[in-house]
Amino acid sequence: MHGGLELKDRKAYQAVIGLEFHVHLSTRTKMFCGCRVTYGEPPNTHVCPVCLGHPGALPVANERAVELGVMAGLALNCRVAGRAVFARKNYFYPDLPKGYQISQYEEPICTGGHIDVPTSEGTVRVRIRRLHLEEDTAKNVHVGESGRMHGSVGSLIDFNRSGVPLMEIVTEPDIPSPEAARQTAVRLREILQAVGASEADMEKGQMRCEANVSLRNPDGTPGTRTELKNINSFRFMERGLVRELRRQREVLESGGRVEQATIHYDPVADEVHELRSKEFAEDYRYFPEPDLLPLQLSPAWVEELRRRLPELPEQTRRRFVEQYGLSEADAAVLAAERELAAFYERVASEADPRQAANWISGDLRALLNEAQVGISGSKVRPEHLVELIRLVQEGTISRSAAKTVLGRVFESGERPSRVVEREGLAQMGADELGGIVDEVISSNPEEAERVRNGDQKVVGFLIGQVMRATRGQADGGRVRQLILERLGS
């Protein structure tokens, strides 16, 4: 990323970045009550006295949320506490009906841990400071001026989100660049999805991120950090960090001083704006939640959860390289999503593993991205791809025709062989194809003569003419072979 390189090349200031993630846990009900966790339903339809903060309503901790939090911590190499205590985090905001949030502070459920993050400059180990459980706030919906926060005419509040189980994961400031920050977020999401802790869908608000960012001074002393808020995509995280680091450097190089503050990144204008001065922990007046007993986590229960952990993405990547002979790049793409990895293995069990990887990581993934659906929402089933690969290997259809067939199967869910039969996409017989090659050569005598004289660049032109005449039903490699045989080249 150009912003990270610019900072490194100057060698005067070094970027120091730490990330905080707020992640919805995949539970059916909320953190401290029995209301259902939902997305996209009418506002304020899944609420009760507990998540609305009515006086006298008592919370009860969600056991499944605790279990998922521990599993996430184990997958992140964390130490699981034997005792964890809920606390009240006091602040006043319209989306917080009680006037405080139930969270964890001095005794979180998990501490320590790390993620190994690949970057363009090598692998970076990002340490995890803490992982704790809390409840989410309600959702502010700003109205007026296209719903933008600044300049809106008012705000509405949807309490469906109030009380949804939330896991906060805080990294140490080990991240050296905006690119590394983005890759850290990507790797974290992969791990959380793999263990089933969260879907971590940023568009649904299931994963939100904040970044603490500063520039270490040339003499090695730490700089003043700011907090980048309201980050709703990994791409905007990277862009916002580049912009904020540039702003801080400009302030320092002009003789100014960076002030500790909360910063908002506007991706449309590619600008950062100060929202407010940064709060300190003492501002929240933490104290133990009197309505909830401390969590007591037995070592035997924690070890049982450790045994239940599935294969993690990094383990899957290594296995795909060793077991199927895939490239690191293909293995990384296929292992990034649990469902995609499972889809690949079903295809690879009956078809050539490398061909399966090429089709899934290339053509099929392009169709999924264009349609904005996951593999579970696709009409292409593993057996479809197995059949398609065999049709190509047996010479029934060309590679280019197979790409067309895959598109039709993606739209309809039909078997590839039926698409081939209906649309007449089977490759031509040797005699028919040879006749078309002869016709193309006779229609292009100058180009044919250049090939005879050793000009290999013109072969591609003649192949293109044959493919056009056959409507892509011929195999390009076979066409090249026939042309060279006839022209004695």
Short mmCIF file of all heavy atoms in Angstrom, two decimals, residues 310-372:
data_model
loop_
_atom_site.label_atom_id
_atom_site.label_comp_id
_atom_site.label_asym_id
_atom_site.label_seq_id
_atom_site.Cartn_x
_atom_site.Cartn_y
_atom_site.Cartn_z
N PRO A 310 -12.63 -27.24 15.45
CA PRO A 310 -12.42 -27.81 14.12
C PRO A 310 -11.03 -27.45 13.59
O PRO A 310 -10.28 -26.72 14.24
CB PRO A 310 -13.51 -27.13 13.29
CG PRO A 310 -13.67 -25.79 13.95
CD PRO A 310 -13.47 -26.04 15.42
N GLU A 311 -10.70 -27.97 12.43
CA GLU A 311 -9.45 -27.59 11.77
C GLU A 311 -9.50 -26.10 11.46
O GLU A 311 -10.47 -25.61 10.88
CB GLU A 311 -9.29 -28.39 10.48
CG GLU A 311 -7.97 -28.17 9.78
CD GLU A 311 -7.85 -29.04 8.53
OE1 GLU A 311 -8.73 -28.93 7.66
OE2 GLU A 311 -6.89 -29.82 8.45
N LEU A 312 -8.46 -25.37 11.83
CA LEU A 312 -8.42 -23.93 11.62
C LEU A 312 -7.88 -23.60 10.22
O LEU A 312 -7.20 -24.43 9.61
CB LEU A 312 -7.57 -23.27 12.71
CG LEU A 312 -8.10 -23.46 14.13
CD1 LEU A 312 -7.16 -22.81 15.14
CD2 LEU A 312 -9.51 -22.90 14.27
N PRO A 313 -8.18 -22.40 9.70
CA PRO A 313 -7.80 -22.07 8.32
C PRO A 313 -6.32 -22.28 8.01
O PRO A 313 -5.99 -22.79 6.93
CB PRO A 313 -8.19 -20.60 8.21
CG PRO A 313 -9.33 -20.44 9.15
CD PRO A 313 -9.01 -21.34 10.31
N GLU A 314 -5.43 -21.92 8.93
CA GLU A 314 -4.01 -22.10 8.64
C GLU A 314 -3.65 -23.58 8.53
O GLU A 314 -2.84 -23.97 7.68
CB GLU A 314 -3.16 -21.43 9.74
CG GLU A 314 -1.67 -21.50 9.51
CD GLU A 314 -1.25 -20.92 8.16
OE1 GLU A 314 -1.82 -19.89 7.74
OE2 GLU A 314 -0.35 -21.51 7.53
N GLN A 315 -4.27 -24.41 9.35
CA GLN A 315 -4.05 -25.86 9.26
C GLN A 315 -4.58 -26.40 7.94
O GLN A 315 -3.95 -27.25 7.31
CB GLN A 315 -4.72 -26.56 10.44
CG GLN A 315 -4.17 -26.15 11.80
CD GLN A 315 -5.04 -26.64 12.95
OE1 GLN A 315 -6.26 -26.74 12.82
NE2 GLN A 315 -4.42 -26.95 14.08
N THR A 316 -5.75 -25.89 7.53
CA THR A 316 -6.33 -26.33 6.26
C THR A 316 -5.44 -25.93 5.09
O THR A 316 -5.23 -26.71 4.15
CB THR A 316 -7.73 -25.73 6.08
OG1 THR A 316 -8.55 -26.06 7.20
CG2 THR A 316 -8.40 -26.25 4.81
N ARG A 317 -4.90 -24.71 5.14
CA ARG A 317 -4.01 -24.26 4.07
C ARG A 317 -2.81 -25.19 3.92
O ARG A 317 -2.46 -25.61 2.82
CB ARG A 317 -3.52 -22.83 4.36
CG ARG A 317 -4.44 -21.75 3.87
CD ARG A 317 -3.79 -20.38 4.01
NE ARG A 317 -3.85 -19.91 5.40
CZ ARG A 317 -4.88 -19.24 5.91
NH1 ARG A 317 -5.91 -18.95 5.16
NH2 ARG A 317 -4.88 -18.84 7.17
N ARG A 318 -2.17 -25.49 5.05
CA ARG A 318 -1.00 -26.36 4.99
C ARG A 318 -1.36 -27.75 4.47
O ARG A 318 -0.63 -28.35 3.67
CB ARG A 318 -0.36 -26.48 6.38
CG ARG A 318 0.34 -25.20 6.85
CD ARG A 318 1.29 -25.50 8.01
NE ARG A 318 0.59 -26.06 9.15
CZ ARG A 318 0.11 -25.34 10.16
NH1 ARG A 318 0.22 -24.03 10.15
NH2 ARG A 318 -0.50 -25.93 11.17
N ARG A 319 -2.50 -28.27 4.90
CA ARG A 319 -2.91 -29.61 4.46
C ARG A 319 -3.23 -29.63 2.98
O ARG A 319 -2.89 -30.59 2.27
CB ARG A 319 -4.12 -30.07 5.28
CG ARG A 319 -4.57 -31.49 4.94
CD ARG A 319 -5.59 -32.00 5.92
NE ARG A 319 -6.81 -31.21 5.93
CZ ARG A 319 -7.80 -31.34 5.05
NH1 ARG A 319 -7.70 -32.20 4.05
NH2 ARG A 319 -8.88 -30.59 5.13
N PHE A 320 -3.88 -28.59 2.47
CA PHE A 320 -4.20 -28.55 1.04
C PHE A 320 -2.93 -28.55 0.18
O PHE A 320 -2.88 -29.17 -0.88
CB PHE A 320 -5.04 -27.32 0.72
CG PHE A 320 -6.51 -27.47 1.06
CD1 PHE A 320 -6.98 -28.58 1.74
CD2 PHE A 320 -7.43 -26.49 0.69
CE1 PHE A 320 -8.32 -28.73 2.05
CE2 PHE A 320 -8.78 -26.63 0.99
CZ PHE A 320 -9.22 -27.75 1.67
N VAL A 321 -1.91 -27.84 0.65
CA VAL A 321 -0.64 -27.83 -0.09
C VAL A 321 0.00 -29.22 -0.07
O VAL A 321 0.45 -29.73 -1.11
CB VAL A 321 0.33 -26.78 0.51
CG1 VAL A 321 1.72 -26.92 -0.10
CG2 VAL A 321 -0.21 -25.37 0.27
N GLU A 322 0.02 -29.85 1.11
CA GLU A 322 0.69 -31.14 1.24
C GLU A 322 -0.13 -32.29 0.63
O GLU A 322 0.41 -33.15 -0.05
CB GLU A 322 0.96 -31.43 2.73
CG GLU A 322 1.91 -30.43 3.37
CD GLU A 322 1.95 -30.55 4.88
OE1 GLU A 322 1.25 -31.44 5.42
OE2 GLU A 322 2.66 -29.74 5.52
N GLN A 323 -1.43 -32.29 0.87
CA GLN A 323 -2.27 -33.42 0.46
C GLN A 323 -2.64 -33.37 -1.02
O GLN A 323 -2.64 -34.40 -1.70
CB GLN A 323 -3.54 -33.46 1.31
CG GLN A 323 -4.49 -34.61 0.98
CD GLN A 323 -5.68 -34.65 1.93
OE1 GLN A 323 -5.66 -34.05 2.99
NE2 GLN A 323 -6.72 -35.36 1.53
N TYR A 324 -2.92 -32.16 -1.52
CA TYR A 324 -3.41 -32.05 -2.89
C TYR A 324 -2.40 -31.42 -3.85
O TYR A 324 -2.68 -31.29 -5.05
CB TYR A 324 -4.70 -31.22 -2.91
CG TYR A 324 -5.82 -31.84 -2.11
CD1 TYR A 324 -6.32 -31.22 -0.96
CD2 TYR A 324 -6.40 -33.05 -2.49
CE1 TYR A 324 -7.34 -31.78 -0.23
CE2 TYR A 324 -7.43 -33.62 -1.76
CZ TYR A 324 -7.89 -32.98 -0.63
OH TYR A 324 -8.92 -33.54 0.09
N GLY A 325 -1.25 -30.99 -3.34
CA GLY A 325 -0.23 -30.40 -4.21
C GLY A 325 -0.61 -29.04 -4.75
O GLY A 325 -0.18 -28.66 -5.85
N LEU A 326 -1.41 -28.28 -4.01
CA LEU A 326 -1.86 -26.97 -4.48
C LEU A 326 -0.80 -25.92 -4.23
O LEU A 326 0.08 -26.07 -3.37
CB LEU A 326 -3.15 -26.56 -3.76
CG LEU A 326 -4.35 -27.49 -3.88
CD1 LEU A 326 -5.57 -26.84 -3.24
CD2 LEU A 326 -4.64 -27.85 -5.33
N SER A 327 -0.88 -24.83 -4.96
CA SER A 327 -0.02 -23.69 -4.70
C SER A 327 -0.47 -23.02 -3.40
O SER A 327 -1.61 -23.19 -2.96
CB SER A 327 -0.10 -22.69 -5.85
OG SER A 327 -1.39 -22.08 -5.89
N GLU A 328 0.43 -22.25 -2.80
CA GLU A 328 0.08 -21.52 -1.58
C GLU A 328 -1.09 -20.57 -1.84
O GLU A 328 -1.97 -20.41 -1.00
CB GLU A 328 1.29 -20.73 -1.07
CG GLU A 328 2.44 -21.58 -0.58
CD GLU A 328 2.20 -22.15 0.80
OE1 GLU A 328 1.19 -21.79 1.42
OE2 GLU A 328 3.03 -22.96 1.25
N ALA A 329 -1.10 -19.94 -3.03
CA ALA A 329 -2.15 -18.97 -3.35
C ALA A 329 -3.51 -19.65 -3.45
O ALA A 329 -4.50 -19.18 -2.88
CB ALA A 329 -1.82 -18.25 -4.65
N ASP A 330 -3.59 -20.78 -4.18
CA ASP A 330 -4.87 -21.49 -4.31
C ASP A 330 -5.33 -22.04 -2.96
O ASP A 330 -6.52 -21.97 -2.62
CB ASP A 330 -4.74 -22.63 -5.31
CG ASP A 330 -4.84 -22.17 -6.75
OD1 ASP A 330 -5.26 -21.02 -6.98
OD2 ASP A 330 -4.48 -22.95 -7.66
N ALA A 331 -4.39 -22.58 -2.18
CA ALA A 331 -4.75 -23.12 -0.87
C ALA A 331 -5.30 -22.02 0.04
O ALA A 331 -6.26 -22.25 0.79
CB ALA A 331 -3.54 -23.79 -0.23
N ALA A 332 -4.71 -20.82 -0.04
CA ALA A 332 -5.17 -19.71 0.80
C ALA A 332 -6.60 -19.31 0.43
O ALA A 332 -7.43 -19.05 1.31
CB ALA A 332 -4.24 -18.52 0.66
N VAL A 333 -6.90 -19.26 -0.86
CA VAL A 333 -8.25 -18.89 -1.31
C VAL A 333 -9.27 -19.91 -0.85
O VAL A 333 -10.34 -19.58 -0.31
CB VAL A 333 -8.29 -18.75 -2.84
CG1 VAL A 333 -9.74 -18.62 -3.34
CG2 VAL A 333 -7.50 -17.53 -3.28
N LEU A 334 -8.97 -21.19 -1.03
CA LEU A 334 -9.92 -22.25 -0.74
C LEU A 334 -10.13 -22.46 0.76
O LEU A 334 -11.20 -22.85 1.20
CB LEU A 334 -9.46 -23.56 -1.38
CG LEU A 334 -9.40 -23.53 -2.91
CD1 LEU A 334 -8.71 -24.79 -3.43
CD2 LEU A 334 -10.79 -23.41 -3.51
N ALA A 335 -9.08 -22.21 1.56
CA ALA A 335 -9.18 -22.44 3.00
C ALA A 335 -9.75 -21.26 3.76
O ALA A 335 -10.05 -21.37 4.94
CB ALA A 335 -7.80 -22.79 3.56
N ALA A 336 -9.90 -20.12 3.08
CA ALA A 336 -10.35 -18.90 3.77
C ALA A 336 -11.77 -19.03 4.30
O ALA A 336 -12.10 -18.43 5.32
CB ALA A 336 -10.25 -17.70 2.83
N GLU A 337 -12.62 -19.80 3.62
CA GLU A 337 -14.00 -19.97 4.04
C GLU A 337 -14.27 -21.45 4.28
O GLU A 337 -13.97 -22.28 3.42
CB GLU A 337 -14.97 -19.43 2.98
CG GLU A 337 -14.82 -17.95 2.70
CD GLU A 337 -15.73 -17.49 1.57
OE1 GLU A 337 -16.82 -18.08 1.42
OE2 GLU A 337 -15.33 -16.58 0.84
N ARG A 338 -14.84 -21.76 5.41
CA ARG A 338 -15.06 -23.16 5.78
C ARG A 338 -15.93 -23.89 4.76
O ARG A 338 -15.62 -25.02 4.36
CB ARG A 338 -15.73 -23.20 7.17
CG ARG A 338 -15.98 -24.59 7.70
CD ARG A 338 -16.53 -24.54 9.11
NE ARG A 338 -17.66 -23.63 9.21
CZ ARG A 338 -18.31 -23.39 10.35
NH1 ARG A 338 -17.91 -23.97 11.46
NH2 ARG A 338 -19.32 -22.56 10.38
N GLU A 339 -17.00 -23.25 4.29
CA GLU A 339 -17.89 -23.91 3.34
C GLU A 339 -17.23 -24.10 1.98
O GLU A 339 -17.45 -25.12 1.31
CB GLU A 339 -19.18 -23.09 3.18
CG GLU A 339 -20.07 -23.11 4.42
CD GLU A 339 -21.34 -22.31 4.23
OE1 GLU A 339 -21.37 -21.46 3.32
OE2 GLU A 339 -22.30 -22.55 4.98
N LEU A 340 -16.40 -23.14 1.57
CA LEU A 340 -15.70 -23.27 0.30
C LEU A 340 -14.67 -24.40 0.38
O LEU A 340 -14.50 -25.17 -0.58
CB LEU A 340 -15.01 -21.96 -0.07
CG LEU A 340 -14.48 -21.85 -1.51
CD1 LEU A 340 -15.63 -21.88 -2.50
CD2 LEU A 340 -13.67 -20.57 -1.69
N ALA A 341 -13.99 -24.51 1.51
CA ALA A 341 -13.02 -25.59 1.69
C ALA A 341 -13.70 -26.95 1.64
O ALA A 341 -13.19 -27.90 1.02
CB ALA A 341 -12.29 -25.42 3.02
N ALA A 342 -14.86 -27.07 2.28
CA ALA A 342 -15.60 -28.33 2.26
C ALA A 342 -16.08 -28.66 0.85
O ALA A 342 -16.04 -29.83 0.41
CB ALA A 342 -16.79 -28.25 3.22
N PHE A 343 -16.54 -27.65 0.12
CA PHE A 343 -16.99 -27.83 -1.27
C PHE A 343 -15.82 -28.36 -2.10
O PHE A 343 -15.96 -29.32 -2.88
CB PHE A 343 -17.48 -26.49 -1.82
CG PHE A 343 -18.03 -26.56 -3.22
CD1 PHE A 343 -19.40 -26.65 -3.44
CD2 PHE A 343 -17.20 -26.51 -4.32
CE1 PHE A 343 -19.92 -26.69 -4.74
CE2 PHE A 343 -17.69 -26.55 -5.62
CZ PHE A 343 -19.05 -26.65 -5.82
N TYR A 344 -14.64 -27.74 -1.94
CA TYR A 344 -13.46 -28.16 -2.70
C TYR A 344 -13.13 -29.63 -2.41
O TYR A 344 -12.85 -30.41 -3.33
CB TYR A 344 -12.26 -27.28 -2.38
CG TYR A 344 -10.97 -27.89 -2.88
CD1 TYR A 344 -10.68 -27.91 -4.25
CD2 TYR A 344 -10.07 -28.50 -2.01
CE1 TYR A 344 -9.52 -28.51 -4.72
CE2 TYR A 344 -8.91 -29.09 -2.47
CZ TYR A 344 -8.65 -29.09 -3.83
OH TYR A 344 -7.51 -29.69 -4.31
N GLU A 345 -13.13 -30.01 -1.15
CA GLU A 345 -12.74 -31.38 -0.82
C GLU A 345 -13.71 -32.41 -1.38
O GLU A 345 -13.30 -33.51 -1.77
CB GLU A 345 -12.61 -31.53 0.70
CG GLU A 345 -11.49 -30.70 1.28
CD GLU A 345 -10.73 -31.41 2.38
OE1 GLU A 345 -9.94 -32.32 2.06
OE2 GLU A 345 -10.95 -31.05 3.54
N ARG A 346 -15.00 -32.07 -1.48
CA ARG A 346 -15.95 -32.99 -2.08
C ARG A 346 -15.66 -33.17 -3.57
O ARG A 346 -15.78 -34.27 -4.11
CB ARG A 346 -17.38 -32.50 -1.86
CG ARG A 346 -17.85 -32.64 -0.41
CD ARG A 346 -19.36 -32.54 -0.29
NE ARG A 346 -19.85 -31.22 -0.60
CZ ARG A 346 -19.96 -30.22 0.28
NH1 ARG A 346 -19.58 -30.41 1.54
NH2 ARG A 346 -20.44 -29.05 -0.09
N VAL A 347 -15.27 -32.07 -4.24
CA VAL A 347 -14.93 -32.17 -5.67
C VAL A 347 -13.61 -32.93 -5.84
O VAL A 347 -13.48 -33.82 -6.69
CB VAL A 347 -14.83 -30.77 -6.31
CG1 VAL A 347 -14.41 -30.89 -7.78
CG2 VAL A 347 -16.16 -30.03 -6.21
N ALA A 348 -12.60 -32.58 -5.02
CA ALA A 348 -11.28 -33.20 -5.15
C ALA A 348 -11.29 -34.68 -4.84
O ALA A 348 -10.39 -35.41 -5.26
CB ALA A 348 -10.30 -32.48 -4.23
N SER A 349 -12.31 -35.16 -4.12
CA SER A 349 -12.39 -36.59 -3.81
C SER A 349 -12.76 -37.41 -5.04
O SER A 349 -12.56 -38.64 -5.07
CB SER A 349 -13.41 -36.84 -2.69
OG SER A 349 -14.73 -36.55 -3.14
N GLU A 350 -13.31 -36.77 -6.10
CA GLU A 350 -13.75 -37.49 -7.29
C GLU A 350 -13.16 -36.95 -8.59
O GLU A 350 -13.39 -37.52 -9.66
CB GLU A 350 -15.28 -37.45 -7.39
CG GLU A 350 -16.00 -38.10 -6.23
CD GLU A 350 -17.50 -38.11 -6.44
OE1 GLU A 350 -17.94 -38.55 -7.53
OE2 GLU A 350 -18.24 -37.65 -5.55
N ALA A 351 -12.42 -35.85 -8.52
CA ALA A 351 -11.84 -35.26 -9.72
C ALA A 351 -10.40 -34.84 -9.42
O ALA A 351 -9.97 -34.86 -8.26
CB ALA A 351 -12.67 -34.06 -10.18
N ASP A 352 -9.67 -34.48 -10.47
CA ASP A 352 -8.29 -34.04 -10.29
C ASP A 352 -8.24 -32.85 -9.33
O ASP A 352 -8.86 -31.82 -9.57
CB ASP A 352 -7.69 -33.65 -11.65
CG ASP A 352 -6.26 -33.18 -11.51
OD1 ASP A 352 -5.36 -34.03 -11.51
OD2 ASP A 352 -6.04 -31.95 -11.42
N PRO A 353 -7.49 -32.97 -8.22
CA PRO A 353 -7.48 -31.90 -7.21
C PRO A 353 -7.02 -30.55 -7.73
O PRO A 353 -7.57 -29.52 -7.34
CB PRO A 353 -6.52 -32.44 -6.15
CG PRO A 353 -6.54 -33.91 -6.31
CD PRO A 353 -6.70 -34.15 -7.78
N ARG A 354 -6.02 -30.52 -8.62
CA ARG A 354 -5.53 -29.24 -9.12
C ARG A 354 -6.53 -28.61 -10.08
O ARG A 354 -6.73 -27.39 -10.07
CB ARG A 354 -4.17 -29.43 -9.79
CG ARG A 354 -3.08 -29.83 -8.81
CD ARG A 354 -1.71 -29.81 -9.45
NE ARG A 354 -0.69 -30.26 -8.53
CZ ARG A 354 0.61 -30.30 -8.82
NH1 ARG A 354 1.02 -29.93 -10.01
NH2 ARG A 354 1.47 -30.72 -7.92
N GLN A 355 -7.15 -29.44 -10.92
CA GLN A 355 -8.20 -28.90 -11.80
C GLN A 355 -9.36 -28.37 -10.98
O GLN A 355 -9.93 -27.31 -11.29
CB GLN A 355 -8.68 -29.99 -12.76
CG GLN A 355 -7.69 -30.34 -13.85
CD GLN A 355 -7.42 -29.16 -14.76
OE1 GLN A 355 -8.33 -28.43 -15.15
NE2 GLN A 355 -6.16 -28.95 -15.09
N ALA A 356 -9.72 -29.09 -9.92
CA ALA A 356 -10.80 -28.63 -9.04
C ALA A 356 -10.45 -27.28 -8.43
O ALA A 356 -11.29 -26.37 -8.38
CB ALA A 356 -11.06 -29.66 -7.95
N ALA A 357 -9.19 -27.13 -7.97
CA ALA A 357 -8.77 -25.86 -7.38
C ALA A 357 -8.81 -24.74 -8.40
O ALA A 357 -9.25 -23.62 -8.10
CB ALA A 357 -7.35 -26.00 -6.81
N ASN A 358 -8.36 -25.01 -9.63
CA ASN A 358 -8.37 -23.98 -10.67
C ASN A 358 -9.79 -23.50 -10.96
O ASN A 358 -10.04 -22.30 -11.08
CB ASN A 358 -7.74 -24.52 -11.95
CG ASN A 358 -6.24 -24.73 -11.81
OD1 ASN A 358 -5.61 -24.15 -10.93
ND2 ASN A 358 -5.67 -25.58 -12.65
N TRP A 359 -10.72 -24.44 -11.09
CA TRP A 359 -12.10 -24.06 -11.41
C TRP A 359 -12.76 -23.30 -10.26
O TRP A 359 -13.45 -22.31 -10.47
CB TRP A 359 -12.92 -25.31 -11.75
CG TRP A 359 -12.75 -25.78 -13.17
CD1 TRP A 359 -11.99 -26.82 -13.60
CD2 TRP A 359 -13.34 -25.21 -14.32
NE1 TRP A 359 -12.07 -26.95 -14.97
CE2 TRP A 359 -12.90 -25.96 -15.44
CE3 TRP A 359 -14.20 -24.14 -14.54
CZ2 TRP A 359 -13.30 -25.68 -16.74
CZ3 TRP A 359 -14.61 -23.85 -15.84
CH2 TRP A 359 -14.15 -24.61 -16.93
N ILE A 360 -12.54 -23.76 -9.03
CA ILE A 360 -13.23 -23.14 -7.89
C ILE A 360 -12.63 -21.78 -7.55
O ILE A 360 -13.35 -20.80 -7.37
CB ILE A 360 -13.17 -24.07 -6.66
CG1 ILE A 360 -13.95 -25.36 -6.95
CG2 ILE A 360 -13.77 -23.37 -5.43
CD1 ILE A 360 -13.79 -26.42 -5.89
N SER A 361 -11.31 -21.70 -7.46
CA SER A 361 -10.67 -20.43 -7.08
C SER A 361 -10.71 -19.41 -8.21
O SER A 361 -10.59 -18.21 -7.96
CB SER A 361 -9.22 -20.66 -6.65
OG SER A 361 -8.45 -21.16 -7.73
N GLY A 362 -10.93 -19.88 -9.44
CA GLY A 362 -10.97 -18.96 -10.58
C GLY A 362 -12.38 -18.67 -11.05
O GLY A 362 -13.04 -17.73 -10.59
N ASP A 363 -12.89 -19.51 -11.96
CA ASP A 363 -14.17 -19.23 -12.63
C ASP A 363 -15.37 -19.24 -11.69
O ASP A 363 -16.21 -18.34 -11.75
CB ASP A 363 -14.39 -20.26 -13.75
CG ASP A 363 -13.31 -20.19 -14.81
OD1 ASP A 363 -13.41 -19.38 -15.72
OD2 ASP A 363 -12.32 -20.95 -14.69
N LEU A 364 -15.46 -20.25 -10.82
CA LEU A 364 -16.62 -20.31 -9.93
C LEU A 364 -16.62 -19.17 -8.93
O LEU A 364 -17.65 -18.54 -8.67
CB LEU A 364 -16.65 -21.66 -9.20
CG LEU A 364 -17.82 -21.86 -8.22
CD1 LEU A 364 -19.15 -21.66 -8.92
CD2 LEU A 364 -17.75 -23.24 -7.58
N ARG A 365 -15.46 -18.86 -8.38
CA ARG A 365 -15.38 -17.77 -7.40
C ARG A 365 -15.73 -16.43 -8.05
O ARG A 365 -16.36 -15.57 -7.41
CB ARG A 365 -13.98 -17.73 -6.79
CG ARG A 365 -13.86 -16.83 -5.58
CD ARG A 365 -12.66 -17.24 -4.75
NE ARG A 365 -12.31 -16.21 -3.79
CZ ARG A 365 -11.38 -15.29 -3.99
NH1 ARG A 365 -10.69 -15.30 -5.12
NH2 ARG A 365 -11.11 -14.38 -3.08
N ALA A 366 -15.35 -16.25 -9.32
CA ALA A 366 -15.70 -15.02 -10.03
C ALA A 366 -17.22 -14.89 -10.16
O ALA A 366 -17.78 -13.81 -9.98
CB ALA A 366 -15.04 -14.98 -11.39
N LEU A 367 -17.89 -16.01 -10.46
CA LEU A 367 -19.36 -15.99 -10.57
C LEU A 367 -20.00 -15.69 -9.21
O LEU A 367 -20.98 -14.94 -9.13
CB LEU A 367 -19.86 -17.33 -11.10
CG LEU A 367 -19.52 -17.65 -12.57
CD1 LEU A 367 -19.85 -19.11 -12.88
CD2 LEU A 367 -20.30 -16.72 -13.51
N LEU A 368 -19.45 -16.27 -8.14
CA LEU A 368 -19.99 -16.03 -6.81
C LEU A 368 -19.84 -14.56 -6.41
O LEU A 368 -20.78 -13.95 -5.87
CB LEU A 368 -19.27 -16.91 -5.79
CG LEU A 368 -19.49 -18.42 -5.90
CD1 LEU A 368 -18.53 -19.17 -4.98
CD2 LEU A 368 -20.93 -18.78 -5.56
N ASN A 369 -18.67 -14.00 -6.70
CA ASN A 369 -18.43 -12.60 -6.34
C ASN A 369 -19.34 -11.67 -7.13
O ASN A 369 -19.87 -10.69 -6.58
CB ASN A 369 -16.97 -12.24 -6.60
CG ASN A 369 -16.03 -12.90 -5.62
OD1 ASN A 369 -16.44 -13.33 -4.54
ND2 ASN A 369 -14.76 -13.03 -5.99
N GLU A 370 -19.53 -11.98 -8.41
CA GLU A 370 -20.39 -11.12 -9.24
C GLU A 370 -21.84 -11.16 -8.76
O GLU A 370 -22.54 -10.15 -8.73
CB GLU A 370 -20.31 -11.57 -10.69
CG GLU A 370 -21.10 -10.69 -11.66
CD GLU A 370 -20.97 -11.12 -13.10
OE1 GLU A 370 -20.19 -12.06 -13.39
OE2 GLU A 370 -21.65 -10.53 -13.97
N ALA A 371 -22.29 -12.35 -8.35
CA ALA A 371 -23.67 -12.51 -7.88
C ALA A 371 -23.82 -12.14 -6.41
O ALA A 371 -24.93 -12.07 -5.89
CB ALA A 371 -24.13 -13.94 -8.09
N GLN A 372 -22.68 -11.91 -5.73
CA GLN A 372 -22.66 -11.58 -4.31
C GLN A 372 -23.38 -12.64 -3.46
O GLN A 372 -24.22 -12.33 -2.61
CB GLN A 372 -23.27 -10.19 -4.07
CG GLN A 372 -22.47 -9.06 -4.71
CD GLN A 372 -23.01 -7.68 -4.39
OE1 GLN A 372 -24.20 -7.52 -4.14
NE2 GLN A 372 -22.14 -6.70 -4.36
#
